[in-house]
Amino acid sequence: VWCMMGYVCLCTDATLQVDISDALSERDKVKFTVHTKSTLPNFKQNEFSVVRQHEEFIWLHDSFVENEDYAGYIIPPAPPRPDFDASREKLQKLGEGEGSMTKEEFTKMKQELEAEYLAIFKKTVAMHEVFLCRVAAHPVLRKDLNFHVFLEYNQDLSVRGKNKKEKLEDFFKNVVKSADGVLVAGVKDVDDFFEHEKTFLLEYHNRVKDASAKSDRMIRSHKNAADDINRIASSLYSLGTQDSTDVCKYEHTHKIEARVAADEDLKLADLLKYYLRESQAAKDLLYRRSRSLVDYENANKALDKARAKNRDVLQAETSQQLCCHKFEKISESAKQELIDFKTRRVAAFRKNLVELAELELKHAKVKGLVTVRSR
Amino acid sequence: MCVCVCVCVCVQSGPASLPAEDISTNSNGPKQDSLFDDDPEDLFAEATEEVSLDSPERDVLLSDGPSPAITPITPPTSVITPRIGLAHDDMFTHSSFDEIEEEEGGDSFDIHIAVSDPEKVGDGMNAYMAYKVTTKTSLSLFKTDEFSVKRRFSDFLGLHSKLASKYLHIGYIVPPAPEKSIVGMTKVKVGKEDQSSNEFVEKRRSALERYLMRTVKHPILLKDPDVLQFLESSELPRAVSTQALSSAGLLRMVNKAADAVNKMTIKMNESDAWFEEKQQHFENLDVQLRKLHASVESLVCHRKELSVNTAQFAKSAAMLGNSEDHTALSRALSQLAEVEEKIDQLHQDQANADFYLFSELLGDYVRLITAVKGVFDHRMKTWQKWQDSQLLLQKKREAEAKLQFTNKPDKLQQAKDEIKELEGKVQQGERDFEQISKTIRKEVSRFEKERVKDFKTIIIKYLESLVQTQQQLIKYWEAFLPEAKAIS
């Protein structure tokens, strides 16, 4: 399982290590075995495991988002829902079409689809694991009580998925946020650092979104081409049993095509997708800070008014102090968070781009070798 | 008489009968090549084998297994050991086929035709494309070594129609002409100078070239006066009524023959297992080639898509690089964008190779197999004709026998005359049938050889193009790697 945080996997901090040691894919859900090793006194044991499902990860993530104390941090993005629908559909179609193809074709396609299923499975495990690692690595979030419950409580957390009403509430919250976001973006920040970050993140996020979409499309075409090649290889092969054509050469050469597409998917597409989510989380942080700045400025205005009218001054003062404190706290932690974000981002890109290039080279070299040799 | 025999023997269960071949040139003695290596995986093992038999011009029935005259030749030790199974050095088997060619014609096959310089002639709906047909040859058949003429598409169709009408019904596999395309041509006529019409012209040019090469590779067709005229004479009478002459027309002709076969009064008792086996073989081949062709077309399409998507991603990555505020990462992302742009070009080139090398070849062969099936059907028709005359003869004989007992000398004489005529017809019918059967055996053997050679050549060329692509990829990624490592 790969770590997208860059060279240093912060999960290796001995005081708290979290990983997903096992996973089971059932018909409509995936069960993750979350394994924790810790020297912290908070836990009853030093090493323990629990079984968690996707909804419980979401519950944990949402609890962070809704916690005012964490307003000044980049909340690690929630892992995407496990989605095996497409893969399952393909396997089902294959089963239905079994009669119309030869045994070899069927076995081959089945193997491919199973490999695809396995790859998706591994990815979803990785996504969930990265989320936990990020939380465990965060100096403040790792102490969160909900997090400890998540790790340790060996019963079902009974977190039902959000019902319709709650989902609607979320929807409106997001609408308000984006409307606000427009408002907030217009306000120029006195702090240069944050002004720069705002501009940067807005543009960066959009471009990552575009790059992520385009890389997905590119890789899908690549996979389609690889599928065609496999089909051609089996056709050529069955032609070969009928008469003499050199097929195996073609087949060997191109088996690798599919692997290239898969590796690109891993190193490039997943990287971009992850940073799409992370940059969104960073934007959310900036939004929260801007919101608190607006609140602070409003509190200032209210205080001035109160002083002018000489009414409820104490209340206004308290309120203003709270807002000021909140704003400063958020600003301070936000600055560090954004700096860390950049460090992480650069390290992750470096790691994955290097690995991408190395894998491409490896495949190109092997492919060339096979082709030359079989001549 | 020492005969050099070239047969296609499928080493499968069941006897294979050797046709009586009387290829005129003499061999220099037993020529043996065994393509059965110690390698069970060698797919070439089932290809053709050259057998030399000191046999008279009679059918020789082979029992299972190769003739004892064959001694396996171990391939040269420089052959690279296989990865999985395939031991064979292509050059080795390749050269053995060339030797066969040399044996057959006294003149070694030395003619090369190029179709080039498509030129639009005229305007509007009467416009047409003229192609330059250049022939380079050392064959004594031609007046000079190198010459060219201008031809238009309907000229090619005209040539094909003449050849088809002369040779198809006596069992020769006449290569089909390229397809007509109303849409494609209209675009060209109307004067659209865009990429798709350019592609269309190139596709057609290439197809015409392949058509001519295939036609002249046929030893009989090469000598045909219409072919010579087509290649040599500067003026050619305009081919009229090219309607029914395209490949679609050919298909219709074949279907008519097939219909006739279906209406046969007596089901042909195929005494010759070879024909039955071969027909089945071509049926299977037809199905498989069509499937393969469809897959290759799909690949070409997806690769073109891949090329487009890669280019788009490259642009997007460049944009991302621009907005990245970490300098080294920004530079690396721009480099990535450049690499992807170059790769996009590679994909395009590969798609073209897929298309021109593979897809078009498969299309040609799908059409060729139609022609082969047509030839088999013609044989059936010939048999039917023979049987019909035999039946008629029998009826006439019966009638004559009846007439014997009547006192009608004129009628009797007439009957006797008719019978004499019919006897001649029956004999001719039998001769025709035997001739077409003999011709088909030769043709099929030649066709199979050509096919194997064609496919091998194409696959080798294709693999070479892949190697090129790989080498380019290696260059690009090797240049990128240090940039990626230089981040931070």
Side-chain angles (χ1 to χ4, degrees):
Chain A
V1 179
W2 49 98
C3 176
M4 290 179 178
M5 300 204 293
Y7 282 122
V8 179
C9 181
L10 300 168
C11 310
T12 57
D13 179 348
T15 52
L16 181 61
Q17 282 180 52
V18 185
D19 67 272
I20 295 183
S21 58
D22 196 7
L24 184 65
S25 166
E26 290 182 356
R27 237 181 66 80
D28 56 351
K29 54 180 168 242
V30 182
K31 293 196 168 136
F32 303 96
T33 304
V34 178
H35 167 248
T36 314
K37 255 176 152 166
S38 173
T39 55
L40 293 175
N42 319 53
F43 300 109
K44 295 194 196 80
Q45 298 165 296
N46 282 352
E47 192 169 348
F48 48 89
S49 294
V50 296
V51 176
R52 290 285 173 249
Q53 291 184 38
H54 175 72
E55 287 72 27
E56 291 162 310
F57 286 77
I58 300 301
W59 164 81
L60 183 61
H61 170 263
D62 290 349
S63 77
F64 291 150
V65 170
E66 286 156 14
N67 190 333
E68 285 283 325
D69 289 344
Y70 301 148
Y73 308 122
I74 295 180
I75 309 296
R81 196 182 72 87
D83 185 10
F84 296 99
D85 289 344
S87 187
R88 261 197 219 112
E89 215 181 280
K90 278 197 214 167
L91 271 167
Q92 194 173 20
K93 262 202 215 142
L94 179 70
E96 285 166 7
E98 184 174 356
S100 68
M101 51 179 91
T102 69
K103 192 153 194 285
E104 290 125 12
E105 279 177 344
F106 178 74
T107 323
K108 205 161 176 231
M109 282 224 71
K110 186 154 172 279
Q111 279 176 349
E112 277 167 36
L113 286 180
E114 283 174 349
E116 200 181 294
Y117 190 91
L118 191 63
I120 297 177
F121 186 65
K122 278 192 184 153
K123 259 205 251 190
T124 193
V125 168
M127 297 288 172
H128 286 74
E129 191 180 80
V130 160
F131 170 71
L132 293 178
C133 280
R134 283 268 280 119
V135 174
H138 195 281
V140 175
L141 293 178
R142 77 204 316 238
K143 299 187 196 136
D144 181 82
L145 186 62
N146 283 336
F147 183 48
H148 291 182
V149 168
F150 177 94
L151 289 177
E152 203 180 19
Y153 185 62
N154 58 11
Q155 304 283 339
D156 199 339
L157 288 175
S158 296
V159 294
R160 55 175 177 71
K162 295 198 169 162
N163 64 22
K164 258 197 211 159
K165 178 159 171 280
E166 285 162 339
K167 283 198 182 143
L168 206 62
E169 281 174 2
D170 273 354
F171 174 72
F172 279 120
K173 258 197 238 163
N174 279 330
V175 169
V176 169
K177 191 162 82 173
S178 36
D180 262 349
V182 171
L183 208 81
V184 163
V187 175
K188 183 149 166 44
D189 208 311
V190 284
D191 188 328
D192 277 342
F193 174 81
F194 283 105
E195 184 56 31
H196 166 81
E197 285 296 307
K198 220 183 335 177
T199 323
F200 163 72
L201 266 177
L202 276 171
E203 194 187 59
Y204 187 79
H205 176 78
N206 287 336
R207 295 201 177 169
V208 162
K209 200 192 276 186
D210 189 57
S212 176
K214 301 260 162 75
S215 81
D216 277 348
R217 258 205 292 219
M218 175 176 82
I219 288 164
R220 210 175 1 206
S221 296
H222 212 152
K223 283 194 177 144
N224 285 339
D227 284 343
D228 283 330
I229 286 165
N230 281 330
R231 228 170 285 139
I232 290 171
S234 12
S235 287
L236 275 180
Y237 197 73
S238 55
L239 212 69
T241 57
Q242 271 221 327
D243 81 284
S244 44
T245 318
D246 263 14
V247 182
C248 292
K249 304 171 180 177
Y250 187 88
E251 192 172 40
H252 289 312
T253 308
H254 280 293
K255 238 175 185 126
I256 299 173
E257 195 91 25
R259 298 264 297 282
V260 171
D263 285 336
E264 283 176 353
D265 199 8
L266 242 58
K267 299 292 160 190
L268 201 53
D270 283 349
L271 175 72
L272 290 169
K273 273 198 209 87
Y274 186 78
Y275 276 93
L276 178 60
R277 295 203 300 279
E278 271 254 12
S279 57
Q280 181 63 51
K283 270 171 68 179
D284 290 345
L285 170 61
L286 280 181
Y287 167 77
R288 289 194 294 271
R289 176 180 171 275
S290 297
R291 252 249 86 83
S292 80
L293 177 59
V294 167
D295 289 344
Y296 179 33
E297 282 171 354
N298 287 343
N300 272 339
K301 287 197 197 120
L303 181 59
D304 288 343
K305 245 208 274 193
R307 281 195 180 134
K309 288 190 186 152
N310 207 1
R311 214 176 7 151
D312 297 320
V313 172
L314 191 61
Q315 195 180 30
E317 273 177 352
T318 326
S319 171
Q320 190 256 23
Q321 266 172 4
L322 271 168
C323 285
C324 172
H325 176 71
K326 184 172 174 203
F327 173 69
E328 282 172 354
K329 184 167 157 232
I330 289 183
S331 293
E332 191 184 315
S333 59
K335 190 161 188 171
Q336 190 54 48
E337 288 282 305
L338 288 168
I339 290 171
D340 287 345
F341 173 60
K342 180 162 169 177
T343 315
R344 271 200 313 276
R345 180 175 81 243
V346 171
F349 269 79
R350 183 191 197 282
K351 179 170 189 278
N352 283 287
L353 287 178
V354 167
E355 284 176 0
L356 175 69
E358 286 173 346
L359 280 168
E360 294 268 6
L361 274 173
K362 179 176 129 194
H363 289 317
K365 285 184 175 152
V366 173
K367 253 202 271 190
L369 213 71
V370 171
T371 322
V372 167
R373 263 226 274 188
S374 48
R375 270 195 300 160
Chain B
M1 177 168 150
C2 183
V3 199
C4 178
V5 175
C6 180
V7 286
C8 176
V9 175
C10 293
V11 182
Q12 295 161 3
S13 58
S17 72
L18 265 185
E21 307 274 42
D22 52 349
I23 301 171
S24 46
T25 52
N26 294 327
S27 73
N28 306 326
K31 202 135 196 86
Q32 298 131 356
D33 259 340
S34 172
L35 303 174
F36 321 139
D37 252 320
D38 353 67
D39 188 354
E41 292 271 347
D42 188 346
L43 301 170
F44 284 105
E46 286 166 30
T48 58
E49 58 182 274
E50 217 180 330
V51 170
S52 168
L53 298 171
D54 282 333
S55 64
E57 278 182 39
R58 282 274 117 222
D59 283 2
V60 173
L61 276 167
L62 270 189
S63 53
D64 298 315
S67 138
I70 299 172
T71 50
I73 294 178
T74 46
T77 48
S78 58
V79 168
I80 304 160
T81 43
R83 271 192 58 185
I84 297 177
L86 297 160
H88 237 74
D89 181 358
D90 281 356
M91 293 317 295
F92 176 69
T93 47
H94 215 105
S95 60
S96 66
F97 288 141
D98 285 346
E99 284 164 26
I100 296 173
E101 295 285 10
E102 273 163 56
E103 292 284 313
E104 271 187 353
D107 249 331
S108 70
F109 183 75
D110 178 19
I111 174 168
H112 185 78
I113 303 185
V115 173
S116 60
D117 304 328
E119 218 184 359
K120 184 163 162 206
V121 176
D123 258 320
M125 288 315 284
N126 288 326
Y128 63 89
M129 277 303 213
Y131 302 87
K132 185 160 117 174
V133 177
T134 311
T135 313
K136 286 197 187 112
T137 176
S138 65
L139 295 174
S140 47
L141 217 51
F142 297 96
K143 305 190 189 100
T144 49
D145 276 0
E146 183 171 340
F147 47 91
S148 22
V149 293
K150 282 254 180 210
R151 294 282 177 257
R152 53 185 291 186
F153 184 64
S154 53
D155 294 335
F156 289 81
L157 293 184
L159 173 66
H160 173 258
S161 108
K162 289 197 199 126
L163 295 177
S165 62
K166 278 197 265 186
Y167 295 102
L168 263 183
H169 66 98
I170 51 174
Y172 287 100
I173 302 173
V174 177
E179 300 277 326
K180 271 184 124 175
S181 164
I182 299 179
V183 174
M185 259 332 273
T186 312
K187 269 203 208 157
V188 172
K189 287 187 211 240
V190 164
K192 263 186 115 194
E193 268 290 331
D194 67 349
Q195 199 189 1
S196 72
S197 60
N198 285 341
E199 274 178 16
F200 170 78
V201 172
E202 171 55 28
K203 190 171 154 184
R204 173 158 285 190
R205 183 209 66 77
S206 169
L208 291 174
E209 196 172 274
R210 288 194 309 273
Y211 166 67
L212 284 180
M213 280 303 285
R214 223 169 253 129
T215 304
V216 298
K217 273 196 190 142
H218 195 298
I220 305 293
L221 295 180
L222 171 61
K223 303 196 181 91
D224 182 281
D226 284 321
V227 171
L228 298 175
Q229 186 189 38
F230 180 91
L231 291 175
E232 281 183 316
S233 78
S234 47
E235 286 299 320
L236 205 66
R238 208 48 229 257
V240 291
S241 64
T242 51
Q243 304 304 84
L245 306 179
S246 66
S247 309
L250 172 64
L251 190 63
R252 260 175 275 144
M253 275 200 313
V254 168
N255 285 337
K256 268 199 279 188
D259 286 340
V261 167
N262 288 334
K263 294 201 193 94
M264 282 199 322
T265 42
I266 314 167
K267 189 73 181 110
M268 180 165 171
N269 186 9
E270 188 58 81
S271 50
D272 197 336
W274 187 92
F275 281 93
E276 203 169 301
E277 187 192 296
K278 280 299 163 185
Q279 266 189 291
Q280 190 56 51
H281 166 78
F282 282 112
E283 286 293 327
N284 293 343
L285 198 59
D286 191 23
V287 167
Q288 303 207 313
L289 283 181
R290 277 177 204 272
K291 198 161 111 176
L292 185 56
H293 189 212
S295 297
V296 174
E297 284 189 323
S298 171
L299 175 63
V300 171
C301 182
H302 283 140
R303 239 200 241 287
K304 287 205 170 128
E305 231 176 65
L306 176 58
S307 160
V308 166
N309 288 339
T310 306
Q312 285 193 336
F313 173 71
K315 286 202 193 84
S316 184
M319 294 285 277
L320 186 63
N322 277 345
S323 64
E324 174 59 63
D325 64 352
H326 185 276
T327 338
L329 178 55
S330 169
R331 191 171 50 233
L333 284 171
S334 308
Q335 290 290 81
L336 180 67
E338 274 180 39
V339 168
E340 293 290 348
E341 236 176 72
K342 294 193 194 133
I343 290 179
D344 141 50
Q345 189 56 48
L346 276 184
H347 282 309
Q348 248 183 56
D349 294 342
Q350 186 65 57
N352 283 333
D354 289 344
F355 181 70
Y356 283 108
L357 288 184
F358 228 153
S359 179
E360 289 284 88
L361 176 78
L362 287 168
D364 285 352
Y365 268 92
V366 166
R367 282 194 299 277
L368 265 171
I369 299 231
T370 311
V372 172
K373 292 208 284 196
V375 144
F376 275 89
D377 286 338
H378 274 291
R379 175 174 172 268
M380 299 275 231
K381 254 171 81 176
T382 312
W383 184 85
Q384 183 64 41
K385 207 164 130 194
W386 173 30
Q387 295 303 309
D388 286 347
S389 356
Q390 257 190 336
L391 271 177
L392 196 57
L393 175 64
Q394 197 177 8
K395 273 204 203 120
K396 289 285 174 182
R397 283 204 175 125
E398 284 169 8
E400 190 229 14
K402 282 203 197 119
L403 278 176
Q404 291 274 15
F405 298 111
T406 66
N407 195 10
K408 292 190 186 150
D410 306 334
K411 283 236 158 81
L412 192 59
Q413 187 53 45
Q414 187 186 23
K416 282 199 201 284
D417 289 338
E418 281 175 351
I419 284 175
K420 203 138 192 183
E421 199 188 313
L422 273 176
E423 278 173 347
K425 264 211 180 118
V426 166
Q427 276 177 350
Q428 183 60 44
E430 183 175 9
R431 271 201 299 272
D432 285 346
F433 179 70
E434 295 204 334
Q435 184 57 46
I436 195 176
S437 300
K438 199 162 78 168
T439 308
I440 289 180
R441 280 180 195 272
K442 252 196 305 192
E443 284 288 283
V444 164
S445 142
R446 203 186 64 85
F447 175 84
E448 287 289 89
K449 245 187 344 162
E450 277 299 310
R451 177 170 71 87
V452 168
K453 196 158 80 154
D454 267 353
F455 271 74
K456 248 196 323 164
T457 314
I458 288 307
I459 289 192
I460 287 175
K461 272 209 201 122
Y462 186 70
L463 290 176
E464 278 172 0
S465 82
L466 285 180
V467 172
Q468 288 247 23
T469 310
Q470 294 326 307
Q471 289 175 339
Q472 284 297 92
L473 276 178
I474 289 173
K475 261 202 256 168
Y476 296 153
W477 288 109
E478 274 181 347
F480 174 73
L481 192 54
E483 284 289 340
K485 287 191 167 151
I487 300 173
S488 146

